[in-house]
Amino acid sequence: MTAPASAAQNATDAPLARYEHLFINGAWVAPEDGSLVESIDPSTGRAWALVAFGGRRDIDKAVAAARAALEGPWGRMPGHERAALLRRFADLYKTRARDLAILETRDSGRALRESLADVGGHSNAYHWWASLADKASGRTIPFDDSVHAFTTRVPVGVVGAITPWNVPLMAACWKLGPALAAGCTVVLKPAEHTPVTSLELGRLFEEAGFPPGVVNVVPGHGRNGPGEYLVAHPDVDKIAFTGEGATAKTILRAGAETMKRFTFELGGKSPHILFADADLEQALNAATNSAWTLCGQSCALGSRVLVQRPVYDRVVEEFTRRAARVRVGAPLDEATHMGPQAHADQLAKTLSYIDVGRAEGAELVTGGNRLTGPAHAGGYFVEPTVFAGVSNAMRIAREEIFGPVAALIPFDDEEEAVAIANDTAYGLTAGLWTGDASRAHRVASRIRAGMVWVNTYRFIRWSTPYGGFKASGWGRENGVEALDSYLETRTTIVSTTGRFPDAYAT
Ligand code: NAD
């Protein structure tokens, strides 16, 4: 059922790649009550693959398999053996990284040069998680001679991993790594727009020799589909979710019924602060890239560029000049910088926000249009776009657009920069550029965000905790903090005397 990479590179009139099976309990099975759905190549607007979507009975089967694996060999497997399996998987992942990146690009439209850079690091991440698979130790708690008290860390149980369409393999890695290192089992539900690479992961887990049921992959819809069924399922212990805040609230309400554990990685509207004393060339490299990377479909996007007034005009000029250099086009061409938006609804959303920006009185200095020439026919391409003269009260500065739209907001001094940076519902990431080391620490410590970059941007590794303050989420992915969120703590108290007084003797 695997589409070879060569097929993925074929012209758009190639036969549809076929992914007609779900991965449940270590086997490739046809959906029991799901369907076959076309996956659209966003660079052409045409179907390129046919994919099995699961239904309620498929989720029931996947959850039962995950539970059985937890209570079976996987649940009894020592950490170092789980680590060995994860390492084997990580090595296989490395050998397939290029094929995976090509498929990710085909399904999501992300420029191949970006997919290669991202996917190329995942093997290291899985290796790092393997190194933690036997490290979840508890502690002893001193009290008095009458008891020995200690804690043990146990897997939280069956995890429903629900991922978004912008970075399917990365989002899967950030969940599968810590979940498997902790000893959990997983049902992975990728986004309906980008299901293919998650199914490919199933193949790698199979090849690596993971016991049946440890990882199951069931693509399909969120609402009225496997996403919703996973959240409601009484035998799922935790939902690890990446996606929109509105979806997270729906999931939170639905999951409350069965008291699930949650981690939520949600959206952002990150401030990227350029002080006049910064190395402006470097700051501009980072600010332009972080505004347009992934065609603007990144949660960590530096979409609010806060610029100190003495350098504001130069920054506007440079954004405009550099926008003209961005090569927007066929995402499988490694010379391409920016592919299309990942689906038609996202394209419509981005274009509508560009209209909002104009109507709010921001100055559209470059971009703003869908690209429709022969090189872009049928695809969901949009120009890298820059608005100047933006105030932080405007909707384009407050709401997550998820398109390549930079909002350049002027400020006078440090105090104002911090106030604007924090004046947002979100708190995922932030960046600041300055040549003053004291200011760097001072400002960084005042930003209400889960990740603050100083004189760099979007540096994220498996070992660095990532997640949001405020509306940007709950909990952290990556880092040892993530492992923690896949573990429960059991406290055991052992009497050293074996005596228990009769409360009713007198
Ligand atoms: P989305 O919320 O529409 O969908 C995410 C996933 O949830 C999909 O798999 C979808 O099928 C599923 N889903 C939808 N409704 C559901 C329901 N009722 N029950 C269960 N599952 C349901 O988000 P998206 O549009 O795919 O992704 C874009 C969003 O993700 C953006 O807001 C972006 O900022 C965020 N994001 C955050 C991070 C991060 O690490 N913080 C990373 C990537 C993306």
Side-chain angles (χ1 to χ4, degrees), residues 50-85:
L50 200 59
V51 182
F53 275 23
R56 193 184 290 275
R57 284 209 298 277
D58 299 305
I59 285 296
D60 285 347
K61 276 179 13 189
V63 173
R67 177 62 57 190
L70 194 68
E71 285 165 8
W74 177 256
R76 289 191 293 274
M77 195 180 278
H80 64 274
E81 287 180 24
R82 276 189 284 111
L85 278 174

Side-chain angles (χ1 to χ4, degrees), residues 16-22 29-31 33-39 49-54 199 221:
L16 293 187
R18 302 184 84 83
Y19 290 82
E20 295 174 86
H21 298 95
L22 313 169
V29 295
D33 57 345
S35 53
L36 288 181
V37 174
E38 287 183 339
S39 196
L50 200 59
V51 182
F53 275 23
L199 286 168
H221 292 287

